[in-house]
Amino acid sequence: MARNRRNTRRIKSIKDVLTTKTFIIIISILLVIIIASAGVNGYRAYQDQKLLASQKEEIEKQSQEIFSQMSSSISQTNQAISESDALIKMSAVGDILCSRDMLEDAYDEDTKTYDFSHMFNNVSGYINNADIVMGTMETSIANGEYNDKNAPVEFARAVKDSGVNLVTTAHNHSLDNGVIGLQETRDNLEEIGFDVIGDKMETSNAVVIREAKNTKIAFLTYTCFLDNEGQKSKDEINCVNMYSKEQVKSDLEYAQEQGAEYICAMIHWGDAITDTVTEEQKEIANYLVESGVDLIIGAHPSVVQPMEVRQNKDGENVFIAYSIGTYISTLAAEEARTELVLNIELRKSGKDGKVTLNKVDYTPIYMLDNGEQAEDRFKLIDMKGTATSYASGNTDIVTRETYDKLVKALKKLNDILKID
């Protein structure tokens, strides 16, 4: 029995030693894993900080390259501004759309009212200091049911409050709610305080003359197509300012009779969701420039397309933006979330009264979707400012996924907007 007890104690002692050794080994392995993980995570964090710093520098560089190219393409930029010269500031935004998701985001179940203001709060400061801010109201503001093709007056009022004050209703959806819908849209927009252009229900010349800094600027607008155009009557189609060389000629004559000193054409053209400019767009742009148009702002593609500066027959600069994307929308394509607030500065000479293009720049903006459960789901944000802030350490401003999308989109914008 004594031997058995000694054997039992020996076995127990061996087990204790093995248990202690095993415990120490396990702890050691865990410590190695923790230290290694900390090292790996630390290295990854260091590498990530380097990446963010590099991306921040690249974002700044990209913007400067484009603005430098733009400035060098506008010869008047290098001329000294006289005290007697007047500077007129204009801004342009793209297509203005209101989807069902936006309607749901803006609707207050308790008050049964709509409030879209939160969608524009982050970007209104980029346009509300301009003398004239133009855009394409590509949704009806008419009486009846609200849906993807018709929005409440509160939506238009939020757009107006953001700084937009001149809109065209000439686009492929002009007659989605019929001629009555087009008329009600005009009436509602004018009541809010917009200058409205794009239909020919009351005049044969769809031209608006706006005066800023004692300078008369004419706005012409056209669409190259209508949805379901083949199903519309001739009388219906004639209510919309459709593009034709004859209509352009008539509108230019009218603008000149009204004493216009500068002429801007807003045109709905091109293919949707592509940054490639079509041959038809180029041909129309050529005709508009040859006919005496000084500034061309394109819409409909819903994504940003190239810009260019060319000279007209008098050697004056004509700026063409083939598409500046949408101002606000929830289109499914990721490219459609990226758009521009385009800023154009004109100079009226105090010496001879000539009005010329003086400067062009832009702010890239992005339609942020915070998810269905968010109190304020949709918001327009400044792409460059937000990405730079995130890269500087303010990582609460957006998610990393959104930041990565902004960086990718800014890089693509740089490639699209480089001027040859």
Side-chain angles (χ1 to χ4, degrees):
M1 292 295 293
R3 173 183 277 180
N4 287 340
R5 283 198 295 272
R6 284 197 299 272
N7 289 340
T8 301
R9 284 197 296 271
R10 187 179 296 118
I11 292 169
K12 185 177 181 181
S13 177
I14 292 170
K15 284 183 177 180
D16 289 343
V17 170
L18 287 174
T19 301
T20 302
K21 284 185 177 180
T22 303
F23 176 76
I24 292 171
I25 291 170
I26 291 172
I27 292 298
S28 298
I29 292 172
L30 288 174
L31 285 172
V32 169
I33 292 172
I34 290 170
I35 292 169
S37 297
V40 170
N41 289 336
Y43 179 73
R44 285 177 177 172
Y46 170 72
Q47 290 295 100
D48 197 46
Q49 288 302 313
K50 283 182 64 178
L51 174 63
L52 290 174
S54 173
Q55 288 175 335
K56 179 182 176 183
E57 184 178 339
E58 186 63 23
I59 289 168
E60 295 288 347
K61 181 181 175 184
Q62 288 169 357
S63 298
Q64 289 305 317
E65 283 179 353
I66 294 172
F67 293 151
S68 296
Q69 290 174 333
M70 188 72 70
S71 294
S72 65
S73 298
I74 303 173
S75 59
Q76 285 91 344
T77 302
N78 300 318
Q79 298 177 8
I81 297 176
S82 167
E83 290 185 4
S84 61
D85 291 349
L87 296 179
I88 301 101
K89 294 183 179 180
M90 300 196 300
S91 292
V93 299
D95 295 328
I96 301 165
L97 299 161
C98 184
S99 67
R100 291 181 187 273
D101 286 340
M102 290 167 62
L103 289 169
E104 291 175 5
D105 185 31
Y107 190 65
D108 187 320
E109 186 67 41
D110 295 330
T111 62
K112 311 297 182 185
T113 58
Y114 292 91
D115 184 359
F116 297 85
S117 59
H118 65 273
M119 301 181 189
F120 301 92
N121 287 340
N122 294 324
V123 297
S124 59
Y126 296 107
I127 61 177
N128 59 19
N129 291 323
D131 300 300
I132 300 170
V133 183
M134 65 193 96
T136 301
M137 185 61 74
E138 200 175 357
T139 186
S140 295
I141 309 295
N143 304 327
E145 180 184 354
Y146 302 136
N147 50 45
D148 285 337
K149 298 180 179 180
N150 189 40
V153 171
E154 288 85 352
F155 174 69
R157 188 171 289 115
V159 173
K160 179 71 165 55
D161 290 343
S162 78
V164 181
N165 51 36
L166 185 152
V167 291
T168 172
T169 58
H171 47 74
N172 55 306
H173 295 294
S174 294
L175 295 176
D176 279 0
N177 290 286
V179 174
I180 292 176
L182 183 60
Q183 181 66 63
E184 289 177 349
T185 296
R186 168 183 273 277
D187 292 342
N188 287 327
L189 292 174
E190 287 184 336
E191 186 175 345
I192 293 171
F194 284 101
D195 284 320
V196 184
I197 182 175
D199 67 72
K200 295 189 297 179
M201 290 181 286
E202 299 175 1
T203 176
S204 60
N205 297 98
V207 178
V208 164
I209 307 288
R210 280 286 304 272
E211 190 165 332
K213 306 289 178 59
N214 295 316
T215 303
K216 287 186 176 182
I217 303 171
F219 292 87
L220 289 56
T221 183
Y222 310 97
T223 181
C224 295
F225 35 73
L226 293 169
D227 280 10
N228 302 313
E229 189 171 337
Q231 300 173 23
K232 310 296 182 186
S233 69
K234 185 176 180 181
D235 288 342
E236 287 177 310
I237 293 173
N238 285 341
C239 289
V240 182
N241 214 27
M242 304 293 294
Y243 172 79
S244 71
K245 291 183 177 180
E246 294 74 22
Q247 186 64 53
V248 171
K249 185 174 183 294
S250 173
D251 290 345
L252 286 172
E253 288 175 354
Y254 175 81
Q256 289 160 0
E257 289 171 2
Q258 299 302 309
E261 300 166 79
Y262 201 82
I263 297 173
C264 171
M266 303 167 66
I267 185 163
H268 218 71
W269 59 2
D271 295 334
I273 318 297
T274 175
D275 56 41
T276 300
V277 179
T278 67
E279 288 303 314
E280 182 186 33
Q281 284 174 277
K282 294 176 184 178
E283 290 172 7
I284 293 173
N286 289 340
Y287 180 75
L288 292 174
V289 173
E290 292 167 2
S291 299
V293 172
D294 301 299
L295 175 67
I296 302 171
I297 304 295
H300 176 67
S302 297
V303 299
V304 177
Q305 292 187 336
M307 303 183 296
E308 65 177 87
V309 179
R310 64 169 71 172
Q311 280 68 49
N312 61 19
K313 58 186 178 183
D314 297 322
E316 301 293 344
N317 289 321
V318 178
F319 177 75
I320 305 169
Y322 284 99
S323 173
I324 54 177
T326 61
Y327 181 38
I328 189 165
S329 77
T330 57
L331 296 173
E334 179 63 29
E335 306 96 302
R337 292 183 181 273
T338 303
E339 49 255 16
L340 303 179
V341 171
L342 189 64
N343 304 306
I344 304 131
E345 187 175 86
L346 308 180
R347 180 197 305 189
K348 183 173 184 177
S349 170
K351 184 178 180 180
D352 58 15
K354 182 182 291 187
V355 182
T356 53
L357 180 66
N358 188 63
K359 181 182 177 181
V360 176
D361 62 31
Y362 65 86
T363 300
I365 58 176
Y366 182 85
M367 183 59 159
L368 180 64
D369 183 351
N370 289 312
E372 293 183 17
Q373 303 306 314
E375 182 177 353
D376 293 334
R377 178 176 178 181
F378 298 108
K379 289 185 178 182
L380 292 170
I381 60 173
D382 166 15
M383 293 178 66
K384 179 184 170 185
T386 302
T388 301
S389 181
Y390 186 100
S392 299
N394 185 12
T395 53
D396 293 331
I397 193 168
V398 289
T399 64
R400 182 54 184 262
E401 181 183 6
T402 297
Y403 168 77
D404 289 338
K405 288 180 179 179
L406 294 180
V407 171
K408 183 178 179 181
L410 285 167
K411 173 65 170 64
K412 185 167 185 180
L413 271 181
N414 182 66
D415 294 337
I416 293 171
L417 298 177
K418 277 184 178 178
I419 297 176
D420 298 327

